[in-house]
Coordinates of all heavy atoms in Angstrom, one line a residue:
M21 N -83.6 74.5 79.8 CA -83.7 75.4 78.7 C -82.4 75.5 78.0 O -81.4 75.6 78.6 CB -84.0 76.9 79.5 CG -84.2 77.9 78.4 SD -84.6 79.5 79.1 CE -86.3 79.2 79.9
E22 N -82.6 75.5 76.7 CA -81.4 75.6 75.8 C -80.6 76.9 75.9 O -81.2 77.9 76.2 CB -81.8 75.3 74.4 CG -82.3 73.9 74.2 CD -81.9 73.4 72.9 OE1 -81.1 73.9 72.2 OE2 -82.3 72.1 72.5
N23 N -79.4 76.8 75.6 CA -78.6 78.1 75.6 C -79.1 79.2 74.8 O -79.2 80.3 75.2 CB -77.1 77.8 75.2 CG -76.2 78.7 75.6 OD1 -76.4 79.5 76.5 ND2 -75.1 78.8 74.9
V24 N -79.6 78.8 73.6 CA -80.1 79.8 72.6 C -81.4 80.5 73.3 O -81.6 81.7 73.2 CB -80.4 79.2 71.3 CG1 -81.2 80.2 70.3 CG2 -79.2 78.8 70.6
E25 N -82.3 79.7 73.8 CA -83.5 80.1 74.4 C -83.2 81.0 75.6 O -83.8 82.1 75.8 CB -84.4 79.0 74.8 CG -84.9 78.2 73.7 CD -85.7 77.0 74.2 OE1 -86.1 76.9 75.3 OE2 -85.9 76.0 73.4
L26 N -82.3 80.6 76.4 CA -81.8 81.4 77.5 C -81.3 82.8 77.2 O -81.6 83.8 77.7 CB -80.8 80.6 78.3 CG -80.3 81.3 79.6 CD1 -81.6 81.4 80.7 CD2 -79.2 80.4 80.3
R27 N -80.4 82.9 76.2 CA -79.8 84.1 75.6 C -81.0 85.0 75.1 O -81.0 86.2 75.4 CB -78.8 83.8 74.5 CG -77.6 83.3 75.1 CD -76.7 82.9 73.9 NE -75.3 82.4 74.3 CZ -74.4 83.3 74.6 NH1 -74.4 84.5 74.4 NH2 -73.2 82.8 75.0
K28 N -82.0 84.3 74.4 CA -83.0 85.2 73.8 C -84.0 85.7 75.1 O -84.3 87.0 75.0 CB -83.9 84.5 72.9 CG -83.3 84.1 71.6 CD -84.4 83.2 70.7 CE -83.7 82.9 69.4 NZ -84.4 82.1 68.6
Q29 N -84.1 84.9 76.1 CA -84.8 85.3 77.2 C -84.2 86.6 77.9 O -84.8 87.5 78.3 CB -85.0 84.2 78.1 CG -85.8 84.5 79.4 CD -85.9 83.3 80.4 OE1 -85.0 82.6 80.6 NE2 -87.1 83.3 81.0
W30 N -82.8 86.5 78.0 CA -82.2 87.5 78.7 C -81.9 88.7 77.8 O -81.9 89.8 78.3 CB -80.8 87.0 79.1 CG -80.9 86.4 80.5 CD1 -80.9 85.1 80.7 CD2 -81.0 87.2 81.7 NE1 -81.2 84.9 82.2 CE2 -81.2 86.2 82.7 CE3 -81.1 88.5 82.1 CZ2 -81.3 86.5 84.1 CZ3 -81.3 88.8 83.4 CH2 -81.4 87.8 84.4
D31 N -82.0 88.5 76.5 CA -82.1 89.8 75.6 C -83.4 90.5 75.8 O -83.3 91.8 75.9 CB -82.0 89.3 74.1 CG -80.6 88.9 73.6 OD1 -79.6 89.2 74.3 OD2 -80.6 88.2 72.6
V32 N -84.4 89.9 76.0 CA -85.7 90.6 76.2 C -85.7 91.1 77.6 O -86.0 92.3 77.9 CB -86.8 89.5 76.1 CG1 -88.1 90.2 76.7 CG2 -87.0 88.9 74.7
R33 N -85.2 90.5 78.6 CA -85.1 90.9 79.9 C -84.2 92.2 80.1 O -84.7 93.2 80.7 CB -84.6 90.0 80.9 CG -85.5 88.8 81.3 CD -84.9 87.8 82.2 NE -85.8 86.8 82.6 CZ -85.6 85.7 83.2 NH1 -84.3 85.5 83.6 NH2 -86.4 84.9 83.6
I34 N -83.1 92.1 79.4 CA -82.2 93.4 79.6 C -82.8 94.5 78.8 O -82.8 95.7 79.2 CB -80.8 93.0 78.9 CG1 -80.1 92.0 79.8 CG2 -80.0 94.2 78.7 CD1 -78.8 91.3 79.3
A35 N -83.5 94.4 77.6 CA -84.1 95.4 76.9 C -85.3 96.0 77.8 O -85.3 97.2 77.9 CB -84.7 94.9 75.7
D36 N -86.0 95.1 78.5 CA -87.0 95.5 79.3 C -86.5 96.3 80.5 O -86.9 97.5 80.9 CB -87.9 94.4 79.9 CG -89.0 94.9 80.8 OD1 -89.9 95.7 80.3 OD2 -89.0 94.5 82.0
Y37 N -85.5 95.9 81.1 CA -84.7 96.6 82.2 C -84.2 98.0 81.7 O -84.6 99.0 82.5 CB -83.6 95.8 82.9 CG -82.6 96.6 83.6 CD1 -83.0 97.3 84.8 CD2 -81.3 96.8 83.1 CE1 -82.0 98.0 85.5 CE2 -80.4 97.6 83.8 CZ -80.8 98.2 84.9 OH -79.8 99.0 85.6
R38 N -83.5 98.0 80.6 CA -83.0 99.5 80.2 C -84.1 100.3 79.9 O -83.9 101.5 80.0 CB -82.1 99.1 79.1 CG -80.8 98.4 79.5 CD -79.8 98.3 78.3 NE -78.6 97.7 78.8 CZ -77.8 97.0 78.1 NH1 -77.9 96.7 76.8 NH2 -76.7 96.4 78.6
S39 N -85.2 99.8 79.3 CA -86.3 100.8 79.0 C -87.2 101.1 80.1 O -88.1 102.0 80.0 CB -87.1 100.2 77.7 OG -87.8 99.1 78.2
S40 N -87.0 100.4 81.2 CA -88.1 100.5 82.4 C -87.9 101.9 83.2 O -88.8 102.4 83.7 CB -87.9 99.3 83.3 OG -86.7 99.5 84.0
G41 N -86.6 102.4 83.2 CA -86.3 103.7 84.0 C -86.1 103.2 85.4 O -85.9 104.1 86.3
L42 N -86.3 101.9 85.8 CA -86.1 101.5 87.1 C -84.7 101.3 87.5 O -83.8 101.1 86.6 CB -86.9 100.2 87.4 CG -88.4 100.3 87.1 CD1 -89.0 99.0 87.2 CD2 -89.1 101.2 88.1
T43 N -84.4 101.2 88.8 CA -83.0 100.9 89.2 C -82.9 99.4 89.1 O -84.0 98.8 89.1 CB -82.8 101.3 90.7 OG1 -83.7 100.5 91.5 CG2 -83.0 102.7 91.0
A44 N -81.7 98.9 89.0 CA -81.6 97.5 88.9 C -82.3 96.8 90.0 O -82.9 95.7 89.8 CB -80.2 97.2 88.7
T45 N -82.1 97.1 91.3 CA -82.6 96.5 92.3 C -84.1 96.5 92.3 O -84.7 95.3 92.4 CB -82.2 97.2 93.7 OG1 -80.8 97.3 93.7 CG2 -82.8 96.5 94.8
V46 N -84.7 97.6 92.0 CA -86.3 97.5 91.8 C -86.7 96.7 90.8 O -87.8 95.9 90.9 CB -86.8 98.9 91.7 CG1 -88.3 98.9 91.5 CG2 -86.6 99.8 92.9
W47 N -86.1 96.8 89.6 CA -86.5 95.9 88.4 C -86.5 94.6 88.7 O -87.3 93.7 88.4 CB -85.7 96.3 87.1 CG -86.1 95.6 86.0 CD1 -87.0 96.0 85.0 CD2 -85.6 94.3 85.5 NE1 -87.2 95.1 84.1 CE2 -86.4 94.0 84.3 CE3 -84.9 93.3 86.0 CZ2 -86.2 92.8 83.7 CZ3 -84.7 92.2 85.4 CH2 -85.4 91.9 84.2
C48 N -85.3 94.1 89.3 CA -85.1 92.7 89.7 C -86.2 92.2 90.7 O -86.8 91.1 90.4 CB -83.7 92.5 90.3 SG -82.4 92.6 89.2
E49 N -86.4 93.1 91.6 CA -87.6 92.6 92.6 C -88.9 92.4 91.8 O -89.6 91.4 92.1 CB -87.7 93.7 93.7 CG -86.6 93.7 94.6 CD -86.7 94.9 95.7 OE1 -87.5 95.7 95.5 OE2 -85.8 94.9 96.5
R50 N -89.2 93.3 91.0 CA -90.5 93.2 90.3 C -90.5 92.0 89.1 O -91.6 91.6 88.8 CB -90.8 94.6 89.6 CG -91.1 95.6 90.6 CD -91.5 96.9 89.7 NE -91.7 97.9 90.7 CZ -92.1 99.2 90.3 NH1 -92.2 99.6 89.0 NH2 -92.3 100.1 91.1
N51 N -89.4 91.7 88.7 CA -89.4 90.5 87.8 C -88.8 89.3 88.2 O -88.7 88.3 87.4 CB -88.5 91.1 86.6 CG -89.2 92.2 85.7 OD1 -90.1 91.9 85.1 ND2 -88.9 93.5 86.1
G52 N -88.6 89.1 89.5 CA -88.3 87.7 90.1 C -86.9 87.4 89.6 O -86.6 86.1 89.4
V53 N -85.9 88.3 89.5 CA -84.6 88.0 89.0 C -83.6 88.6 90.0 O -84.0 89.6 90.7 CB -84.3 88.7 87.8 CG1 -82.9 88.6 87.2 CG2 -85.3 88.2 86.6
T54 N -82.5 87.8 90.3 CA -81.5 88.3 91.3 C -80.7 89.4 90.7 O -80.4 89.4 89.4 CB -80.7 87.3 91.9 OG1 -79.8 86.7 90.9 CG2 -81.5 86.1 92.6
L55 N -80.4 90.4 91.6 CA -79.3 91.4 91.0 C -78.0 90.7 90.4 O -77.6 91.2 89.4 CB -79.0 92.4 92.2 CG -78.2 93.6 91.8 CD1 -78.9 94.4 90.6 CD2 -78.1 94.5 93.0
P56 N -77.4 89.8 91.1 CA -76.3 89.1 90.5 C -76.5 88.5 89.1 O -75.7 88.7 88.2 CB -75.8 88.1 91.5 CG -76.3 88.6 92.7 CD -77.6 89.2 92.5
Q57 N -77.6 88.1 88.9 CA -78.0 87.5 87.5 C -78.0 88.6 86.4 O -77.6 88.4 85.3 CB -79.3 86.7 87.5 CG -79.4 85.4 88.3 CD -80.8 84.9 88.3 OE1 -81.7 85.5 88.7 NE2 -80.9 83.7 87.9
L58 N -78.8 89.7 86.8 CA -78.9 90.8 86.0 C -77.5 91.3 85.5 O -77.2 91.7 84.5 CB -79.9 91.9 86.5 CG -79.9 93.1 85.6 CD1 -80.8 92.8 84.3 CD2 -80.8 94.2 86.3
K59 N -76.7 91.5 86.6 CA -75.4 92.1 86.4 C -74.6 91.2 85.6 O -73.8 91.5 84.6 CB -74.6 92.3 87.7 CG -75.2 93.5 88.4 CD -74.4 93.7 89.7 CE -74.8 94.9 90.5 NZ -74.1 95.2 91.7
Y60 N -74.5 89.9 85.7 CA -73.9 88.9 84.9 C -74.2 88.9 83.4 O -73.4 89.1 82.6 CB -74.1 87.5 85.5 CG -73.6 86.4 84.5 CD1 -72.4 86.1 84.6 CD2 -74.4 85.8 83.6 CE1 -71.8 85.0 83.6 CE2 -74.0 84.8 82.7 CZ -72.6 84.4 82.8 OH -72.2 83.5 81.9
W61 N -75.6 89.0 83.3 CA -75.9 89.0 81.8 C -75.9 90.3 81.1 O -75.6 90.3 79.9 CB -77.5 88.5 81.8 CG -77.6 87.1 81.8 CD1 -77.8 86.2 83.0 CD2 -77.3 86.2 80.9 NE1 -77.9 85.0 82.7 CE2 -77.6 84.9 81.4 CE3 -77.0 86.2 79.5 CZ2 -77.4 83.7 80.7 CZ3 -76.8 85.1 78.8 CH2 -77.0 83.8 79.3
T62 N -76.0 91.4 81.9 CA -75.7 92.7 81.1 C -74.3 92.9 80.7 O -73.9 93.4 79.7 CB -76.2 93.9 82.1 OG1 -75.6 93.8 83.4 CG2 -77.7 94.0 82.1
Q63 N -73.3 92.4 81.7 CA -71.9 92.4 81.4 C -71.5 91.6 80.3 O -70.8 91.9 79.4 CB -71.1 92.1 82.7 CG -71.2 93.2 83.8 CD -70.5 92.7 85.0 OE1 -70.1 91.6 85.1 NE2 -70.4 93.7 86.0
K64 N -72.2 90.3 80.2 CA -71.9 89.4 79.2 C -72.4 89.9 77.9 O -71.6 89.9 76.8 CB -72.6 88.0 79.5 CG -72.4 87.0 78.5 CD -73.1 85.7 79.0 CE -72.9 84.5 78.2 NZ -71.6 83.9 78.2
K65 N -73.6 90.5 77.8 CA -74.1 91.0 76.5 C -73.2 92.3 76.1 O -72.9 92.5 74.9 CB -75.5 91.5 76.7 CG -76.5 90.3 76.9 CD -76.5 89.6 75.6 CE -77.4 88.3 75.9 NZ -77.5 87.5 74.5
R66 N -72.7 93.1 77.1 CA -71.9 94.2 76.8 C -70.6 93.7 76.1 O -70.1 94.3 75.1 CB -71.6 95.0 78.0 CG -70.9 96.3 77.8 CD -70.8 97.3 79.0 NE -72.0 97.5 79.6 CZ -72.3 97.1 80.8 NH1 -71.5 96.7 81.6 NH2 -73.5 97.4 81.4
K67 N -70.0 92.7 76.7 CA -68.7 92.2 76.1 C -68.9 91.6 74.8 O -68.2 91.8 73.9 CB -68.2 91.1 77.2 CG -66.7 90.6 76.6 CD -66.3 89.7 77.6 CE -64.9 89.0 77.1 NZ -64.5 88.7 75.9
E68 N -70.1 90.9 74.7 CA -70.3 90.3 73.4 C -70.5 91.4 72.2 O -70.0 91.3 71.1 CB -71.5 89.4 73.3 CG -71.4 88.0 74.0 CD -72.6 87.3 74.3 OE1 -73.8 87.7 73.9 OE2 -72.5 86.2 74.7
A69 N -71.2 92.4 72.6 CA -71.5 93.5 71.7 C -70.2 94.2 71.3 O -69.9 94.6 70.1 CB -72.4 94.5 72.3
K70 N -69.2 94.4 72.4 CA -67.9 95.1 72.0 C -67.1 94.1 71.2 O -66.5 94.6 70.2 CB -67.2 95.1 73.4 CG -65.9 96.0 73.3 CD -65.3 96.2 74.6 CE -64.0 97.0 74.5 NZ -63.4 97.2 75.7
D71 N -67.1 92.9 71.4 CA -66.3 91.9 70.5 C -66.9 91.9 69.1 O -66.0 91.9 68.2 CB -66.4 90.5 71.1 CG -65.6 90.2 72.5 OD1 -64.9 91.3 72.8 OD2 -65.8 89.3 73.1
V72 N -68.2 91.9 69.0 CA -68.7 91.9 67.6 C -68.6 93.3 67.0 O -68.5 93.4 65.8 CB -70.3 91.5 67.7 CG1 -70.9 91.8 66.3 CG2 -70.3 90.0 68.2
G73 N -68.7 94.4 67.7 CA -68.6 95.7 67.1 C -67.2 96.2 66.7 O -67.1 97.4 66.6
G74 N -66.2 95.3 66.6 CA -64.9 95.7 66.1 C -64.9 96.2 64.7 O -65.6 97.2 64.4
V75 N -64.1 95.6 64.0 CA -63.9 96.1 62.6 C -65.1 95.9 61.6 O -65.7 94.8 61.7 CB -62.6 95.4 62.0 CG1 -62.3 95.8 60.5 CG2 -61.4 95.8 62.8
K76 N -65.4 96.9 61.0 CA -66.6 96.7 59.9 C -65.9 97.1 58.5 O -65.3 98.1 58.4 CB -67.7 97.5 60.3 CG -68.4 97.1 61.6 CD -69.6 97.9 61.9 CE -70.2 97.5 63.3 NZ -71.4 98.3 63.6
W77 N -66.2 96.3 57.5 CA -65.7 96.8 56.2 C -66.9 97.2 55.4 O -68.0 96.9 55.6 CB -65.2 95.4 55.6 CG -63.9 94.9 56.4 CD1 -63.9 93.9 57.2 CD2 -62.6 95.4 56.0 NE1 -62.7 93.8 57.6 CE2 -61.8 94.6 56.9 CE3 -62.0 96.4 55.3 CZ2 -60.4 94.8 57.0 CZ3 -60.7 96.4 55.3 CH2 -59.9 95.7 56.2
T78 N -66.5 98.1 54.6 CA -67.5 98.6 53.6 C -66.9 98.6 52.2 O -65.7 98.7 52.0 CB -67.9 100.1 54.1 OG1 -69.0 100.5 53.3 CG2 -66.7 101.1 54.0
R79 N -67.9 98.6 51.2 CA -67.4 98.7 49.9 C -67.1 100.0 49.6 O -67.8 101.0 49.8 CB -68.6 98.1 48.9 CG -68.3 98.0 47.6 CD -69.5 97.6 46.7 NE -69.2 97.9 45.3 CZ -69.3 97.0 44.5 NH1 -69.7 95.8 44.6 NH2 -69.1 97.3 43.2
V80 N -66.1 100.2 48.6 CA -65.7 101.5 48.2 C -65.6 101.4 46.7 O -64.9 100.5 46.1 CB -64.3 102.0 48.7 CG1 -63.9 103.3 48.1 CG2 -64.3 102.0 50.3
D81 N -66.4 102.2 46.0 CA -66.4 102.2 44.6 C -65.4 103.4 44.1 O -65.6 104.4 44.5 CB -67.8 102.4 44.0 CG -68.7 101.3 44.2 OD1 -68.2 100.1 44.1 OD2 -69.9 101.6 44.5
V82 N -64.5 103.1 43.3 CA -63.5 104.1 42.9 C -63.8 104.5 41.5 O -64.0 103.7 40.5 CB -62.0 103.6 42.9 CG1 -61.1 104.5 42.3 CG2 -61.7 103.0 44.3
K83 N -64.1 105.7 41.3 CA -64.5 106.2 39.9 C -63.3 106.8 39.2 O -62.4 107.6 39.9 CB -65.6 107.4 40.1 CG -66.9 106.8 40.6 CD -67.8 107.9 40.8 CE -69.1 107.4 41.3 NZ -70.1 108.4 41.6
P84 N -62.9 106.5 38.0 CA -61.8 107.1 37.3 C -61.8 108.6 37.3 O -62.9 109.3 37.0 CB -61.8 106.5 36.0 CG -63.2 105.8 35.8 CD -63.8 105.7 37.1
V85 N -60.8 109.3 37.4 CA -60.6 110.6 37.3 C -59.6 111.0 36.2 O -58.7 110.1 35.8 CB -60.2 111.4 38.5 CG1 -61.3 111.1 39.7 CG2 -58.9 110.8 39.1
S86 N -59.6 112.2 35.7 CA -58.8 112.5 34.6 C -57.4 112.6 35.0 O -56.5 112.3 34.2 CB -59.2 113.8 33.8 OG -59.3 114.7 34.9
A87 N -57.1 113.2 36.2 CA -55.8 113.2 36.7 C -55.7 112.8 38.1 O -56.6 113.2 39.0 CB -55.3 114.7 36.6
A88 N -54.8 111.9 38.4 CA -54.8 111.4 39.8 C -54.4 112.5 40.8 O -53.4 113.2 40.5 CB -53.8 110.3 40.0
P89 N -55.0 112.6 41.9 CA -54.5 113.6 42.9 C -53.1 113.3 43.5 O -52.8 112.2 43.4 CB -55.5 113.5 44.0 CG -56.0 112.1 43.9 CD -56.1 111.7 42.5
S90 N -52.4 114.3 43.8 CA -51.0 114.1 44.4 C -51.2 113.5 45.8 O -50.2 113.0 46.2 CB -50.3 115.4 44.5 OG -51.0 116.3 45.2
K91 N -52.2 113.7 46.5 CA -52.4 113.0 47.7 C -53.9 112.9 48.1 O -54.7 113.6 47.5 CB -51.7 113.8 48.8 CG -52.2 115.3 49.1 CD -51.3 116.0 50.1 CE -51.5 117.5 50.1 NZ -50.7 118.2 51.1
I92 N -54.2 112.0 49.0 CA -55.5 111.8 49.4 C -55.6 111.7 50.9 O -54.6 111.5 51.5 CB -56.2 110.5 48.8 CG1 -55.3 109.2 49.3 CG2 -56.2 110.5 47.3 CD1 -56.0 107.8 48.9
M93 N -56.8 111.9 51.6 CA -57.1 111.9 53.0 C -57.9 110.8 53.2 O -59.0 110.6 52.6 CB -57.7 113.2 53.4 CG -57.8 113.2 54.9 SD -56.3 113.4 55.8 CE -55.8 115.0 55.5
I94 N -57.5 109.8 54.1 CA -58.4 108.6 54.5 C -58.7 108.9 56.0 O -57.9 109.2 56.8 CB -57.5 107.4 54.5 CG1 -57.1 107.1 53.0 CG2 -58.3 106.1 55.0 CD1 -56.1 106.0 52.9
S95 N -60.1 108.7 56.3 CA -60.6 108.9 57.6 C -61.0 107.4 58.1 O -61.9 106.9 57.5 CB -61.7 109.9 57.6 OG -61.3 111.2 57.2
V96 N -60.6 107.2 59.3 CA -61.1 106.0 59.9 C -61.4 106.3 61.4 O -60.4 106.6 62.2 CB -60.0 104.9 59.9 CG1 -60.4 103.6 60.6 CG2 -59.5 104.5 58.4
G97 N -62.6 106.3 61.8 CA -63.1 106.9 63.0 C -62.5 108.3 63.2 O -62.7 109.2 62.4
A98 N -61.8 108.6 64.3 CA -61.2 109.8 64.6 C -59.8 110.0 63.9 O -59.4 111.1 63.8 CB -61.1 109.9 66.1
A99 N -59.3 109.0 63.4 CA -57.9 109.0 62.7 C -58.1 109.6 61.3 O -59.1 109.2 60.5 CB -57.4 107.6 62.6
R100 N -57.2 110.5 60.9 CA -57.1 111.0 59.6 C -55.6 110.6 59.1 O -54.6 110.9 59.6 CB -57.2 112.5 59.7 CG -58.5 113.0 60.2 CD -59.6 113.1 59.3 NE -60.8 113.6 59.8 CZ -61.8 112.9 60.4 NH1 -61.8 111.6 60.4 NH2 -62.8 113.5 60.8
I101 N -55.6 110.0 57.9 CA -54.4 109.6 57.2 C -54.2 110.2 56.0 O -55.1 110.1 55.2 CB -54.2 108.1 57.2 CG1 -54.4 107.4 58.5 CG2 -53.0 107.6 56.5 CD1 -54.7 105.9 58.6
E102 N -53.0 110.9 55.7 CA -52.7 111.6 54.5 C -51.7 110.7 53.7 O -50.8 110.3 54.3 CB -52.3 113.0 54.6 CG -52.2 113.8 53.4 CD -51.9 115.2 53.7 OE1 -52.4 115.9 54.4 OE2 -50.6 115.5 53.1
V103 N -52.1 110.3 52.4 CA -51.4 109.5 51.7 C -50.9 110.3 50.4 O -51.8 110.8 49.7 CB -52.1 108.2 51.3 CG1 -51.2 107.4 50.4 CG2 -52.6 107.5 52.5
E104 N -49.7 110.4 50.1 CA -49.3 111.0 48.9 C -48.9 110.0 47.7 O -48.8 108.8 48.0 CB -48.0 111.8 49.2 CG -48.2 112.9 50.3 CD -47.1 113.8 50.4 OE1 -46.0 113.8 49.7 OE2 -47.2 114.6 51.5
S105 N -48.9 110.5 46.5 CA -48.5 109.6 45.4 C -47.2 109.0 45.7 O -46.2 109.5 46.3 CB -48.4 110.3 44.1 OG -48.7 111.6 43.9
G106 N -47.2 107.7 45.3 CA -46.0 106.9 45.4 C -45.8 106.2 46.7 O -44.8 105.8 47.2
F107 N -46.9 106.2 47.5 CA -46.9 105.6 48.9 C -46.6 104.2 48.9 O -46.8 103.5 47.8 CB -48.3 105.8 49.6 CG -49.4 105.2 49.0 CD1 -49.8 103.9 49.5 CD2 -50.1 105.6 47.9 CE1 -50.9 103.1 49.0 CE2 -51.2 104.9 47.4 CZ -51.6 103.6 47.9
D108 N -46.1 103.6 50.0 CA -45.8 102.2 50.2 C -47.2 101.6 50.6 O -47.7 101.7 51.7 CB -44.9 102.0 51.3 CG -44.5 100.6 51.5 OD1 -45.1 99.7 51.2 OD2 -43.4 100.4 52.2
A109 N -47.7 100.8 49.8 CA -49.1 100.1 49.9 C -48.9 99.1 51.2 O -50.0 99.1 51.9 CB -49.5 99.4 48.7
A110 N -47.9 98.4 51.4 CA -47.8 97.5 52.3 C -47.8 98.2 53.8 O -48.4 97.7 54.6 CB -46.5 96.6 52.2
M111 N -47.1 99.4 53.7 CA -47.2 100.2 54.9 C -48.6 100.7 55.4 O -49.0 100.6 56.4 CB -46.1 101.2 54.9 CG -46.0 102.1 56.1 SD -45.1 103.6 56.0 CE -43.6 103.1 56.7
L112 N -49.3 101.2 54.3 CA -50.5 101.8 54.4 C -51.5 100.5 55.0 O -52.2 100.9 56.0 CB -51.1 102.4 53.2 CG -52.4 102.8 53.3 CD1 -52.6 103.8 54.3 CD2 -53.0 103.3 52.0
A113 N -51.4 99.3 54.5 CA -52.2 98.3 55.0 C -52.0 98.0 56.5 O -52.9 97.8 57.2 CB -51.9 97.1 54.2
Q114 N -50.7 98.1 56.8 CA -50.3 97.8 58.3 C -50.8 99.0 59.2 O -51.4 98.7 60.2 CB -48.8 97.8 58.5 CG -48.2 96.5 57.8 CD -46.6 96.6 57.8 OE1 -46.0 97.5 58.1 NE2 -46.1 95.3 57.6
V115 N -50.8 100.3 58.6 CA -51.2 101.3 59.5 C -52.7 101.2 59.5 O -53.3 101.5 60.7 CB -50.9 102.7 58.8 CG1 -51.6 103.8 59.4 CG2 -49.4 102.9 58.8
L116 N -53.5 100.8 58.5 CA -55.0 100.7 58.5 C -55.4 99.6 59.5 O -56.4 99.8 60.2 CB -55.6 100.5 57.1 CG -55.4 101.8 56.3 CD1 -55.9 101.4 54.8 CD2 -56.3 102.9 56.8
C117 N -54.5 98.6 59.5 CA -54.8 97.4 60.4 C -54.7 97.9 61.9 O -55.6 97.6 62.7 CB -53.9 96.3 60.1 SG -54.2 94.8 61.2
V118 N -53.8 98.7 62.1 CA -53.5 99.2 63.5 C -54.6 100.1 63.9 O -55.2 100.0 65.0 CB -52.2 99.8 63.6 CG1 -52.1 100.5 65.0 CG2 -51.1 98.7 63.6
V119 N -54.9 101.1 63.0 CA -56.0 102.0 63.3 C -57.4 101.5 63.6 O -58.1 101.8 64.4 CB -56.0 103.1 62.2 CG1 -57.1 104.0 62.4 CG2 -54.7 103.9 62.1
T120 N -57.8 100.5 62.8 CA -59.0 100.0 62.8 C -59.1 99.1 63.9 O -60.3 98.8 64.5 CB -59.4 99.1 61.6 OG1 -58.5 98.1 61.2 CG2 -59.6 100.0 60.3
T121 N -58.1 98.5 64.5 CA -58.2 97.7 65.8 C -58.0 98.6 67.0 O -58.5 98.1 68.0 CB -57.3 96.6 65.8 OG1 -55.9 97.2 65.8 CG2 -57.4 95.5 64.7
S122 N -57.6 99.7 66.8 CA -57.4 100.6 67.9 C -58.5 101.5 68.2 O -58.7 102.2 69.3 CB -56.0 101.4 67.9 OG -55.0 100.5 67.8
C123 N -59.3 101.8 67.2 CA -60.3 102.9 67.3 C -61.7 102.4 67.8 O -62.0 101.3 67.8 CB -60.7 103.5 65.9 SG -59.2 104.3 65.2

């Protein structure tokens, strides 16, 4: 069985296990799968999801305003960053990089 097919098969199995309400042991017995196999694949999928679920970018449309505010508040996850006029753009970029990889 090819790697892609095997991954798809385990995606289906893991979804079935999670929605079954059964313990891992009982689900494995009913589905002809060993407990170590189920644990291996659920951990593998969890790690992959975590790796993929890192930084997400979004588009921001800036609308012109008549007078620029003296400061703005940026929210990234639980972090709140207040930026005042005349801020150092390079420093802000570094801070955002740290915050987005840490949150």
Side-chain angles (χ1 to χ4, degrees):
M21 184 178 294
E22 293 215 10
N23 195 24
V24 172
E25 292 174 17
L26 184 61
R27 287 175 176 274
K28 287 180 183 177
Q29 182 182 38
W30 274 100
D31 285 341
V32 171
R33 286 178 175 169
I34 291 169
D36 180 62
Y37 159 64
R38 288 183 176 154
S39 66
S40 72
L42 300 172
T43 65
T45 304
V46 172
W47 186 90
C48 288
E49 289 172 358
R50 290 186 183 176
N51 289 277
V53 174
T54 67
L55 188 57
Q57 286 175 313
L58 179 63
K59 286 182 178 181
Y60 169 82
W61 282 99
T62 53
Q63 289 173 357
K64 184 175 182 71
K65 292 295 180 181
R66 189 177 303 121
K67 183 181 181 320
E68 287 174 357
K70 186 177 180 181
D71 291 345
V72 171
V75 176
K76 294 182 182 177
W77 295 94
T78 188
R79 179 184 169 127
V80 176
D81 292 320
V82 178
K83 297 179 182 177
V85 293
S86 57
S90 61
K91 58 184 167 182
I92 60 171
M93 182 70 72
I94 301 171
S95 299
V96 179
R100 305 275 185 262
I101 302 167
E102 189 174 300
V103 181
E104 295 187 11
S105 349
F107 68 93
D108 180 341
M111 179 189 264
L112 177 60
Q114 290 175 346
V115 169
L116 289 174
C117 182
V118 169
V119 169
T120 56
T121 58
S122 300
C123 295

